[in-house]
Amino acid sequence: MSAAIVRSLAELRQLVTGWKQRGETVGVVPTMGALHQGHLSLVRAAKEGCDRVIVTIFINPKQFNNPEDYENYPRTEEDDAQKLEPFDVDVVYVPDGPAMYPEGFATNVSVGGLTDVLCGAHRPGHFDGVATVVSKLFLQTQADRAYFGEKDFQQLQVVTRLAGDLDIPVEVVGCPTIREEDGLAMSSRNLLLSDRARVWAPELNAAMQDMADGLLAGGDITELRAKATARIERAGFTEVEYMDLRARDTLEELDTPTRPARLLAAAWLAGVRLIDNIAVE
């Protein structure tokens, strides 16, 4: 059964109001489309945890630093709708730009601290764009639960914090990263990799796994980072923005995993920015 594609906020609210009046729980899976098995794992979790499920597809211009990156982002609405058919979601919400950001739109949601490091330091304003659009989607869908992948771990922490700080009554549910058989974290950006670059891409996760093992064995983070960086550069990566050990909850930088931690990395391969993270506990 194909899900209804809803493009207007008024129609969405009418549907959600009816569900809420019947006491049904609503789950939302916010996406920018170009759906892959990682997204679909979130849809599966939402179906298991909620009576009604909304999948949103909106390529948010406010979270792109580079206009060219925004223009090149994959747009696959028809293919996305086909991938969602087996899950029997209730609504695919696809608002357009003017509906989300009408003329005169002047409000910005900014989460301090968590957004000053890692991707936030390399992509100024990115997380303001994420926080703003996610706040709108939470309010538009009136969701009881929202599902995000741990693959974008910093984003997950930012979204969790904004929901708590703004008293938005939604439970943010983090779901495990889904990987290809060779270890590459699934991402819509993987579609932009050339065949040759796709062969090299799994070296990022492999190098991170070795670095995590070294940290757990008491190794020096500076030496381990240098070794991991050299490994992926040999594989064709051209720039490593960061490869940091951070506290899981606060994203405070750590030298050793003396508390629950994540190893997070961002690196460029053939013009495509790839990110990944793994638990170090």
Side-chain angles (χ1 to χ4, degrees):
M1 178 180 175
S2 299
I5 294 181
V6 172
R7 301 187 189 275
S8 84
L9 177 55
E11 183 180 355
L12 177 69
R13 282 187 166 157
Q14 184 177 23
L15 288 168
V16 173
T17 297
W19 301 337
K20 293 281 189 175
Q21 288 174 343
R22 293 191 289 274
E24 296 173 324
T25 55
V26 178
V28 64
V29 181
T31 83
M32 293 204 299
L35 302 183
H36 51 67
Q37 289 301 318
H39 295 115
L40 299 180
S41 72
L42 304 181
V43 176
R44 191 175 294 110
K47 286 289 294 183
E48 292 173 356
C50 304
D51 299 312
R52 300 286 184 170
V53 174
I54 302 167
V55 176
T56 72
I57 298 176
F58 179 66
I59 303 174
N60 178 30
K62 287 188 176 293
Q63 67 190 71
F64 287 85
N65 304 85
N66 184 342
E68 185 177 345
D69 195 18
Y70 171 70
E71 292 300 326
N72 290 337
Y73 197 86
R75 288 163 168 80
T76 57
E77 183 181 318
E78 188 173 323
D79 186 48
D80 292 340
Q82 291 178 355
K83 289 178 179 177
L84 289 170
E85 276 191 20
F87 294 89
D88 193 25
V89 301
D90 296 277
V91 165
V92 181
Y93 179 47
V94 191
D96 62 18
M100 291 296 284
Y101 302 119
E103 186 176 351
F105 186 89
T107 299
N108 187 60
V109 179
S110 182
V111 179
L114 290 173
T115 62
D116 299 333
V117 298
L118 303 171
C119 286
H122 291 271
R123 304 179 68 188
H126 166 72
F127 283 114
D128 287 1
V130 171
T132 301
V133 77
V134 167
S135 296
K136 285 182 67 85
L137 290 171
F138 283 173
L139 296 169
Q140 290 178 349
T141 61
Q142 301 175 57
D144 299 289
R145 299 188 184 96
Y147 294 79
F148 291 84
E150 290 185 349
K151 184 253 178 181
D152 294 297
F153 193 78
Q154 186 175 14
Q155 172 179 273
L156 174 61
Q157 299 305 96
V158 169
V159 168
T160 301
R161 177 66 60 83
L162 81 83
D165 286 355
L166 298 180
D167 300 318
I168 300 175
V170 61
E171 176 189 356
V172 177
V173 181
C175 299
T177 301
I178 304 299
R179 299 184 180 277
E180 304 285 359
E181 289 185 7
D182 56 13
L184 178 65
M186 290 189 179
S187 169
S188 301
R189 292 179 183 274
N190 294 350
L191 296 174
L192 303 175
L193 292 169
S194 67
D195 291 344
R196 188 178 182 188
R198 175 61 186 82
V199 173
W200 298 335
E203 279 296 294
L204 176 61
N205 181 253
M208 292 175 67
Q209 293 287 351
D210 284 352
M211 183 174 172
D213 290 344
L215 288 166
L216 289 170
D220 177 76
I221 190 169
T222 302
E223 294 177 3
L224 291 167
R225 182 188 288 118
K227 183 178 178 181
T229 299
R231 175 176 176 174
I232 67 171
E233 287 177 344
R234 286 195 301 270
F237 284 80
T238 53
E239 180 186 353
V240 179
E241 289 187 354
Y242 60 81
M243 194 173 290
D244 290 356
L245 185 69
R246 298 273 173 169
R248 184 179 64 189
D249 51 355
T250 64
L251 301 184
E252 172 190 351
E253 190 165 11
L254 304 175
D255 290 330
T256 57
T258 52
R259 53 198 274 204
R262 306 291 290 204
L263 180 63
L264 302 103
W268 288 83
L269 175 63
V272 180
R273 186 177 185 272
L274 300 179
I275 64 172
D276 202 349
N277 74 88
I278 55 177
V280 185
E281 301 179 11

